[in-house]
Amino acid sequence: MHLDDRRVPTARITQNVLSAGGPAGGGEAVLFVHGNVSSAAFWRGTLLALAGEHRPFAVDLRGFGDSDPAPVDATRGLRDYSDDVLALLDALGLESAHLVGWSMGGGVVLQALRDRPSAVRSVTLVNPVSPYGFGGTNGPDGALNHPDGTGGGAGAANPDFVRLLAAGDRSDDSPVSPRNVLRSTYVKPGTVIADEDALVESMLSTRVGEDHYPGDAATSEAWPGVAPGDRGVLNALAPTHLRLDDLHTIDPKPPILWIRGEADVIVSDTSLFDLAHLGALGVVPGSPGTPAQPMVAQTRAALQRYGAYDEIVLDCGHSPHIERPEEFRAALIDHLKRS
């Protein structure tokens, strides 16, 4: 079995798509959506494992991999990405598909579900971003810490990581090099990563700049002094732009499977990427006591309102499909069969 890699013109942009099982394939279509600072390459093993009984695809989102580097209008939240995904389904002649989204990709597939539920046979969320974005909120219902969304957006990115990403750094010289970020935060520390070099190359495919990663930074008078801008990836994830609190109102409601790693330090109730939590730890000085964003609790609250969901917790970090591939695939395949 091999993977096909092709660029697919759509009504919006031309998107790069990985697939397994040949162009026609067999079985129901399953579309995989990657997370931030990555690409479809993170799904390679999963695609090969599902080929035959299913028709698996993985897309490079705009600004990642080999898809067009179209700019991201962050004021639309994740809709630039989700609209691209829906346009891809149209271009492939698919009336509906099972959608699988990891990290930021989880937010993308939830936005697609919100906007066109008839196109979604089922949803699988893999360590998804909170329905209330990343940073700047508190409580299970995602209340803003400050009206301007302070604490979220591009200004929260580590500038040294951004610099090394832009430079194409493949070394492990810096603790915030892409390779070391992969080892320390994408997976549970100590995990042996298969095809590590290929995954680092996938991370380095990320376009860097104000229209892409991390986006344009804005300042705030409130602590910690950064607020969301209007362009780029991290601003699209900001709580002032992304808010998926009405999923329970859609019809029909396809079943949702939520798979997460219990040792995740990226999407967590105590995320090491949340400036509020870093303030509580004393890493970011001057915290007035702003509470950490309870990301997992927020997702659970939204899914409980939604109703038709199951939650599976694995002993791993942010990337169950990389760290616990057999357990991940077994849970996914069972979900697909029941959907």
Side-chain angles (χ1 to χ4, degrees), residues 196-286:
E196 179 179 279
D197 288 345
L199 298 186
V200 171
E201 292 303 315
S202 171
M203 296 172 70
L204 294 176
S205 75
T206 302
R207 307 313 197 278
V208 175
E210 291 191 337
D211 284 322
H212 301 291
Y213 181 87
D216 62 322
T219 59
S220 173
E221 294 182 359
W223 184 89
V226 297
D230 294 331
R231 298 155 59 193
V233 180
L234 294 189
N235 296 317
L237 292 167
T240 46
H241 298 146
L242 174 62
R243 193 167 188 89
L244 292 164
D245 55 359
D246 61 350
L247 293 170
H248 59 285
T249 68
I250 68 171
D251 183 39
K253 287 188 178 68
I256 295 177
L257 173 62
W258 176 23
I259 303 175
R260 64 181 182 87
E262 64 178 355
D264 190 357
V265 299
I266 298 177
V267 176
S268 167
D269 287 350
T270 53
S271 170
L272 295 182
F273 288 71
D274 177 13
L275 293 183
H277 180 57
L278 294 178
L281 295 176
V283 177
V284 178

Side-chain angles (χ1 to χ4, degrees), residues 42-47 49-50 187 191-194 259 314-316 319-333:
F42 273 74
W43 294 115
R44 286 181 179 274
T46 307
L47 297 180
L50 264 66
V187 300
T191 301
V192 176
I193 305 172
I259 303 175
L314 299 179
D315 178 16
C316 63
S319 310
H321 52 304
I322 300 297
E323 302 170 77
R324 292 285 183 268
E326 293 184 2
E327 295 169 75
F328 171 79
R329 294 165 193 168
L332 173 60
I333 290 171

Side-chain angles (χ1 to χ4, degrees), residues 80-107:
D80 271 355
Y81 300 117
S82 62
D83 286 352
D84 290 347
V85 165
L86 293 173
L88 177 62
L89 294 183
D90 294 339
L92 294 174
L94 298 171
E95 293 185 2
S96 64
H98 300 275
L99 299 184
V100 183
W102 167 49
S103 195
M104 181 179 78

